[in-house]
Amino acid sequence: MARMPKPIETPVPSRAELIDHLVRTRIAGHVATPRENNLSHYRKLANGDRHYWLGLELGDRWTDEQDVLAVMAERVGVVDDPVHRVGQDTIDPELTVAGLDRMAARLRKAALDRQSVLLATGHPGGLLDVHRATADALRAAGCEIVVIPSGLVADEGSVWQFADVAVLERGATLWHTHSPEPMAAILDGLAAAGRPQPDLVVADHGWAGCAAQRGLDAVGYADCNDPALFLGEAEGTLQVAVPLDDHVRDPRFYDPMVAYLLAAAGLA
């Protein structure tokens, strides 16, 4: 019987090598998301559009667009000049790596304590394999990867688990969504089945925001045009928000980042 080839392992980059890679692949540095799109989202969040709150309850604490911009400049590295309205915007790769280091510390704790972990993504085209690799590493370290209940629905779609990662499916397609409703369906489904809530949620956007708002330990990824998770981290609701472009040209570009994350967490 022919043997299947072993998967090629991505070498663990140094911090400097990872920063160079993030910039070259536009995961950070001069990213594809335009400045006008960023500012539009900051304004809509400040005006109370809940689509941009990503499952968090921000109340009336962020009603000034300039306050949102200030947090994004500090935590993401977007241009802090409010006069810069059109053109290029940035993510500071140093802040991306710092976020990965904070996430790694929480993953390390999950592994040491053999915690239960739920992984989910609204960006299956970009981040699915990032979460899948994290799930594999956590399971190998003795963590329980939460299996979601069957038959869950949200936002006119079905909530399934694919490669240990919860996703929204519509019409036989994995769906890009920032909605918190799929995560709400999972957490409500676990409660209805008499099962415990996860010790840790690793996700992105509305999936992470919903879990954090419900008081769960949550860490996640977010782009520079989605400020809510960074506001949640600033307020202490979300434990970690890692800034990055969440859908670059080739999802394999994230592999060195994942290798660095898992090595830093002691999970490589």
Side-chain angles (χ1 to χ4, degrees), residues 126-147:
L127 299 180
L128 178 62
D129 206 45
V130 171
H131 292 299
R132 190 275 313 160
T134 305
D136 286 351
L138 287 168
R139 176 182 283 111
C143 290
E144 172 197 352
I145 303 304
V146 174
V147 177

Side-chain angles (χ1 to χ4, degrees), residues 86 152 253:
V86 178
L152 300 179
F253 288 165

Side-chain angles (χ1 to χ4, degrees), residues 1 23-24 27 45-47 53 56 78 133 165 167 217 230 262:
M1 180 183 296
V23 172
R24 283 190 293 103
I27 295 172
L45 179 147
N47 288 339
W53 288 16
L56 293 166
V78 301
V165 183
V167 293
D217 283 6
F230 301 104
L262 298 181

Side-chain angles (χ1 to χ4, degrees), residues 88-232:
Q88 184 69 58
D89 215 337
T90 56
I91 295 175
D92 186 341
E94 293 278 359
L95 294 176
T96 302
V97 177
L100 292 170
D101 288 338
R102 295 195 303 278
M103 182 181 284
R106 186 58 187 86
L107 296 180
R108 180 185 292 271
K109 174 177 170 54
L112 290 173
D113 295 344
R114 303 293 193 269
Q115 292 183 336
S116 61
V117 185
L118 172 65
L119 299 101
T121 187
H123 289 271
L127 299 180
L128 178 62
D129 206 45
V130 171
H131 292 299
R132 190 275 313 160
T134 305
D136 286 351
L138 287 168
R139 176 182 283 111
C143 290
E144 172 197 352
I145 303 304
V146 174
V147 177
I148 69 172
S150 298
L152 300 179
V153 295
D155 295 334
E156 301 180 346
S158 299
V159 185
W160 301 112
Q161 218 159 8
F162 181 74
D164 287 325
V165 183
V167 293
L168 180 67
E169 182 268 343
R170 288 186 199 163
T173 300
L174 302 186
W175 206 255
H176 173 204
T177 176
H178 292 185
S179 170
E181 295 305 317
M183 179 58 75
I186 293 172
L187 300 179
D188 290 344
L190 290 171
R195 294 170 54 193
Q197 300 290 286
D199 297 315
L200 174 65
V201 172
V202 182
D204 45 68
H205 293 217
W207 304 69
C210 175
Q213 186 60 46
R214 292 199 179 196
L216 300 177
D217 283 6
V219 299
Y221 302 95
D223 210 328
C224 57
N225 63 350
D226 292 294
L229 292 194
F230 301 104
L231 301 182

Side-chain angles (χ1 to χ4, degrees), residues 3 20-21 55 113 169 252 258:
R3 296 193 177 200
D20 177 70
H21 172 80
D113 295 344
E169 182 268 343
R252 291 273 71 83
V258 175

